[in-house]
Each structure stands twice: as C-alpha cells, then as structure tokens.
Amino acid sequence: MSEFSFEVQKRCAQTGARLGVLKTPHGDIRTPVYMPVGTSATVKAMTPRELTEIGAEIILSNTYHLHLRPGEDLIKEAGDLHRFMAWDRPILTDSGGFQVFSLEGIRKVKEEGVAFQSHLDGSRRFISPELSMDIQHALGADIMMAFDVCTAYPCDHAEAEAAMERTHRWAARCKAHHTDGDQVLLGIVQGAFFEDLRVKSAETLADMDFFGYGIGGLSVGEPKSVMYHMLETLMPHMPEGKPRYLMGVGSPDCLIEGVLRGVDMFDCVLATRIARTGSCFTSGGRLVIKNAQYARDFAPLDDECDCYACRNFSRAYIRHLFKAGEITGARLASIHNLRFLLRLMENVRQAIREDRLRDFRDDFFAKYDMSRNF
C-alpha cells in the first residue's frame, strides 16, 4: 500500500473540478483520466506500444471475461496481467459484477454470490465476492473493484434498496478478503436513481474506508440529465481525498460534464466499439466515415487532432479502407477515437490548472454538434 497514493493537487476556481495524481507501482496516473478498455487483455485493434504513443496512462481489463478465457491461473503462470499482455503501466480490473448483471435470463443473484451460465459455452459458473477478489489477485492488476449488484433502469425503490444493501454486504466481504498490499481496492456506490439511496450508499462505503470509490449503476439507459443529477447528489457525500471513478462512461460530453461534477476517473468501450463500424469523434461531433460525402474529402478526420491517423491520412483514404473491408480502417479509427478522448482529458486538466474549465466547456460545446453526439 505504501506505493499507492492519491493527491488532489488543485481545484478549478471556476468549477471546483479536481486535478490530481494517483500513484501506483506501475506509474503515476494524472487525473481526471479516461481509461481505454482492454476487456480480454487487449484494447481492441491496438498494441501496447500504440497505447503508449497516444498517451494512455492506465487501461481497464475485465475480470469476468478473463476468468472465462483464458483463466486467471494461466495469466498468473505468465507472471501477471501486465506481463501476459506486455503492458507496463497501471491496470484496473472491474469486478465482473456489471457483466454478470447483463446476463439477464442466465444468472441468479443470491446472498452467497451469482450463479450464471457462461456466454461462451453455456457451462454453469459461480462468482462470489471472495472469488472475485481471488481472480483479481491472480490477475495482478494495480486497482481492483469490489463485487457489486447493479440495477436496471428503470427500477423501483425497493429493488434498488435491496441491491444496494447487498452491495454493501458484499463490499465488506471483499474488503475482508483483500489481503494483497500490491493492489488497492475500490468500493462501488449503488442506489440506482434515488437520492436517498445514493447518499446512504456513499456514506456507508465511506465509513468502510476504501482506497477510492466507483460510481456504478449509471449510464444504463437513463437520460444524461438524470445521471448528472445523481452525480450532483452524491459528491457532497464522497470522501474528498480519495479518487472517484464513474464507471462505463466515455462520450466526450459526459467526460467534460462528469469532471465538472467532481469525477476523477472514467472508462468506456464506446471509442473502440464505434470505431470498428466507422464512427469517429471530432471536435464538431460524430463523423461516420463510410458516408458517401467523404469519398473525395482529403481533410483529416479532425483537423484539431494530432493522432497518427490525422497526421498521415485523409477521410477519403480511411473511407476507402472501410469500403474495401480492410482492417487498417478500423485500426486507424480506433487510434483516432482513443487519442481524441485522451487529448480531450489533457485539455481538461490544463483548463483546471488554469482555472478556466467552465470557459473550456462552453468553447467545446460551441463547436460540438450535440445532434451528432453518441
């Protein structure tokens, strides 16, 4: 634990947004930070060298998927997840809770844990809070997440409260089972879309004294205004000196709005998922590169972007690659989308440093067409 720390270094005078650094044995993470998602021990279409070149300081991998394939024992035999995938910077592993939640119809939540069928082969599996910790210990990620219960949108108050209370009980079990000083553990705030439950969850988990706190159960289909309201409700009850991680959120607008409301960490598969179908982030909003209007467009994807794709290739060329079924098109779009978000967060951090994050937000949305948002 001595190699881990989190420090809030500055708060924006305009907004109160936080600038910080999260220190780990595999390097420092400047916050606010966007974390590319490497679900199965790889960020799709990207190599570790390319991730380093575009400025990724931490990536996320998935406990559920790695447990099913190739298995945590094999990864441990390789040394750990860092060695297995040749990534020498920090890694965060989620607990598997959200993935199990999404297996509606083939899973059963009980107090002991969750029984489910593998989406790969239909085999019967079981994950408990303790097993989630064991898997993550074997993977060797720097930052681990407690096993939680996520609720759907919408849900009623009784259902949300029951899931929250079980999340708290499971959090206590995870904390008791977590013994590896080379890894830190974050609790996850739940409570769906009810103010009283969100406040209670934040305060209960704060009393458990985790290294930091995830905010789960948002971005599950609710309007963004509802998500923002939940963040505003939560933040006065979250510990000041600990990192706050909004789970599964990664569109450009949500990153900025989340930081404005006090979030330090984000992750989402959106950047690479949409890249593989030809959708690209730009400073003006979504660009679908396969559209015919780009057939003779020799401008870069975004003339404000400094990524490898934008420095070297035109919209016309990248469109050609997609139309020809060439995998390079998806790779270039992935490089661009990830670099766009990482550069956005670099600019957000600079705006906080200079006490002008609200001005930055206003300038960003003056150009960004929300009708072409994701």
Side-chain angles (χ1 to χ4, degrees), residues 136-274:
Q136 293 183 76
H137 284 145
L139 295 176
D142 302 270
I143 304 171
M144 301 166 47
M145 302 302 298
F147 198 52
D148 64 325
V149 186
C150 188
T151 49
Y153 176 83
C155 65
D156 62 35
H157 190 278
E159 179 185 359
E161 185 172 26
M164 178 199 71
E165 295 289 0
R166 179 167 281 165
T167 290
H168 297 167
R169 294 191 295 273
W170 285 4
R173 287 167 58 184
C174 287
K175 198 165 191 298
H177 200 72
H178 170 56
T179 57
D180 194 334
D182 293 332
Q183 299 166 286
V184 291
L185 178 63
L186 275 59
I188 301 178
V189 175
Q190 288 290 350
F193 306 95
F194 301 97
E195 293 184 15
D196 61 321
L197 298 183
R198 284 288 175 178
V199 171
K200 181 178 181 180
S201 188
E203 293 177 344
T204 299
L205 290 169
D207 288 342
M208 294 186 191
D209 194 27
F210 286 92
F211 179 83
Y213 299 90
I215 302 167
L218 296 178
S219 191
V220 292
E222 79 280 6
K224 290 181 180 180
S225 60
V226 173
M227 177 175 69
Y228 299 152
H229 178 67
M230 287 298 104
L231 292 176
E232 291 162 4
T233 298
L234 268 178
M235 287 311 174
H237 305 275
M238 301 282 280
E240 272 290 320
K242 300 196 174 186
R244 305 160 175 173
Y245 163 31
L246 179 56
M247 305 175 73
V249 171
S251 63
D253 56 320
C254 287
L255 293 180
I256 294 173
E257 297 290 356
V259 171
L260 279 163
R261 289 163 174 82
V263 176
D264 305 300
M265 304 167 68
F266 304 83
D267 83 284
C268 192
V269 299
L270 178 68
T272 49
R273 178 175 289 168
I274 64 172

Side-chain angles (χ1 to χ4, degrees), residues 64 68 103 106 116-125:
Y64 166 84
L68 294 184
L103 297 172
I106 56 173
F116 61 96
Q117 288 179 266
S118 165
H119 74 285
L120 297 176
D121 60 12
S123 61
R124 295 185 180 279
R125 303 291 187 114

Side-chain angles (χ1 to χ4, degrees), residues 65-76:
H65 288 282
L66 294 176
H67 173 57
L68 294 184
R69 182 174 58 193
E72 64 273 13
D73 291 341
L74 186 148
I75 292 173
K76 186 175 183 180

Side-chain angles (χ1 to χ4, degrees), residues 91-123:
I91 298 174
L92 181 149
T93 45
D94 63 14
S95 68
F98 180 79
Q99 283 67 38
V100 171
F101 152 77
S102 67
L103 297 172
E104 187 173 6
I106 56 173
R107 51 99 171 133
K108 183 173 176 123
V109 181
K110 302 181 284 188
E111 188 62 28
E112 296 86 352
V114 182
F116 61 96
Q117 288 179 266
S118 165
H119 74 285
L120 297 176
D121 60 12
S123 61

